Amino acid sequence: MSKSSVLIFGKTNACRPGLSKCVRCVETVNGTTGEGLSLNIQERKQLAEEWIHQGKDKLDHVIIHVGALSLPESQELARHAAAIGASGIAVIAPFFFRPANKDELTAFLQKIASEAPEVPFYYYHIPSLTGVKIRVEELLDGIKEQIPTFQGVKFSDTDLLDLAQCINKNEREQFAFLYGVDEQLLSALAIGANGAVGSTYNYLGRKTNLMLQAFAKPDLALARKYQFLTGEFLNFVIKLGFGVAQTKAVMTFVSGIPMGPPRLPLVDASEEFIIKAKAKLDSIIWPDGD
Ligand SMILES: CC(=O)N[C@@H]([C@@H](O)[C@H](O)[C@H](O)CO)[C@@H](O)CC(=O)C(=O)O
């Protein structure tokens, strides 16, 4: 089964040798790219176990997404993630019967977080897929009292006003904001996001690391150059039809590791897509050798 998305984490802790300064390797498992919601509970556990095993001594953190429509299933996955030593759990909002307000959403999240009381908890905000548009800024109000393990938000939304308000209110810097719209990461960094989770880092990770370095310098013109490369690729493939299935095809031809077919209703990327996307990516990755 397929890989999930890589997270590039620009926090202040010690850096590992071989990585650019302050970039940490974190894997988020069973999220969107990994089609976690299309897997059964056994498959999700198996994938989580494998990532914890394979990531030992290689990854700084492995965060397992344990969100599900069924609360008991989600709780079971949270307990399992804790038992296998996950460094964090993440949960999306339920998306069939949706919470109507912040209190209902918090109550749902709390019931899951409390099953893993030692494990840092992240809310995975991805309204384009869940349809739950409750503003994160509102959700954060008093969240620590309800969910003591609350650690931050995987923020996969283009609403930078909401993100900015979250960061503005996070005076004690107790929460992490991991941004999930790769083509807008530079804007989110400027506002104060302190990490990123995304699918393109599986194949444009080096360019993104270079962007992070340029941003840290700061050399904004150079940072923009790298951000625009991700944008140029996405802009190209979106016109061909782009989603998780196509992401997997790109990850397969870049890494040589077969990601496996997507699960219905997603269908495999076409040969035409693969040829065009590969040519485009080659033209982006290789010109200057970095
Ligand atoms: C809707 C979606 O798939 N969003 C991606 C982005 O990385 C996205 O592919 C990228 O920004 C291109 O639009 C991530 O936020 C998803 C993600 O991190 C995950 O796999 O959990």
Side-chain angles (χ1 to χ4, degrees):
M1 252 300 161
S2 65
K3 191 180 185 301
S4 205
S5 56
V6 170
L7 183 149
I8 298 174
F9 205 94
K11 290 277 283 182
T12 49
N13 302 354
C15 303
R16 288 169 53 213
L19 284 180
S20 60
K21 196 160 172 283
C22 288
V23 173
R24 308 184 75 209
C25 282
V26 184
E27 186 61 38
T28 60
V29 181
N30 286 332
T32 306
T33 312
E35 290 177 276
L37 273 304
S38 302
L39 305 181
N40 68 35
I41 200 160
Q42 213 38 53
E43 290 170 323
R44 290 177 71 168
K45 287 182 180 176
Q46 194 184 338
L47 200 56
E49 285 165 21
E50 194 61 19
W51 270 105
I52 298 274
H53 174 65
Q54 298 291 343
K56 198 169 174 343
D57 302 326
K58 294 190 198 111
L59 297 168
D60 296 303
H61 291 288
V62 179
I63 298 174
I64 312 290
H65 173 246
V66 301
L69 286 185
S70 149
L71 183 56
E73 275 191 15
S74 194
Q75 290 173 314
E76 184 179 335
L77 289 169
R79 287 193 297 274
H80 175 260
I84 62 174
S87 34
I89 55 172
V91 174
I92 52 165
F95 50 86
F96 187 71
F97 295 124
R98 297 192 186 101
N101 54 47
K102 157 221 156 111
D103 292 337
E104 291 176 12
L105 176 57
T106 307
F108 181 85
L109 300 178
Q110 191 276 335
K111 289 272 182 224
I112 302 162
S114 61
E115 295 292 320
E118 310 292 332
V119 184
F121 181 90
Y122 296 84
Y123 170 52
Y124 182 1
H125 180 59
I126 184 156
S128 60
L129 292 181
T130 62
V132 176
K133 299 182 198 306
I134 296 164
R135 287 171 68 78
V136 182
E137 177 226 343
E138 265 187 67
L139 181 80
L140 292 189
D141 209 11
I143 194 91
K144 263 292 198 198
E145 285 76 58
Q146 308 278 334
I147 303 177
T149 50
F150 195 88
Q151 182 80 23
V153 181
K154 178 176 164 186
F155 195 106
S156 284
D157 189 22
T158 52
D159 185 348
L160 291 177
L161 173 59
D162 189 19
L163 179 66
Q165 291 307 301
C166 294
I167 291 167
N168 192 27
K169 283 184 170 175
N170 186 32
E171 285 153 0
R172 282 181 286 138
E173 297 191 1
Q174 53 181 338
F175 300 138
F177 293 96
L178 313 173
Y179 195 61
V181 183
D182 311 358
E183 53 276 42
Q184 295 188 184
L185 176 57
L186 185 57
S187 317
L189 290 174
I191 279 173
N194 43 16
V197 185
S199 63
T200 64
Y201 311 134
N202 289 302
Y203 51 88
L204 281 166
R206 178 151 172 76
K207 299 290 184 199
T208 307
N209 279 343
L210 291 169
M211 182 181 88
L212 292 180
Q213 280 172 11
F215 179 74
K217 259 182 174 177
D219 181 344
L220 284 184
L222 187 61
R224 272 199 298 274
K225 183 189 127 183
Y226 288 118
Q227 178 71 100
F228 291 161
L229 290 182
T230 300
E232 187 184 331
F233 179 71
L234 289 172
N235 202 39
F236 179 83
V237 289
I238 283 167
K239 288 181 191 150
L240 301 175
F242 187 66
V244 166
Q246 289 70 24
T247 291
K248 284 184 170 161
V250 176
M251 286 161 62
T252 297
F253 70 65
V254 168
S255 69
I257 303 168
M259 296 296 146
R263 189 160 279 180
L264 284 167
L266 303 185
V267 292
D268 263 328
S270 66
E271 272 310 308
E272 187 193 353
F273 173 89
I274 292 172
I275 291 166
K276 288 184 173 165
K278 191 170 180 331
K280 185 66 183 174
L281 198 60
D282 283 348
S283 78
I284 285 173
I285 289 181
W286 297 118
D288 52 6
D290 57 12

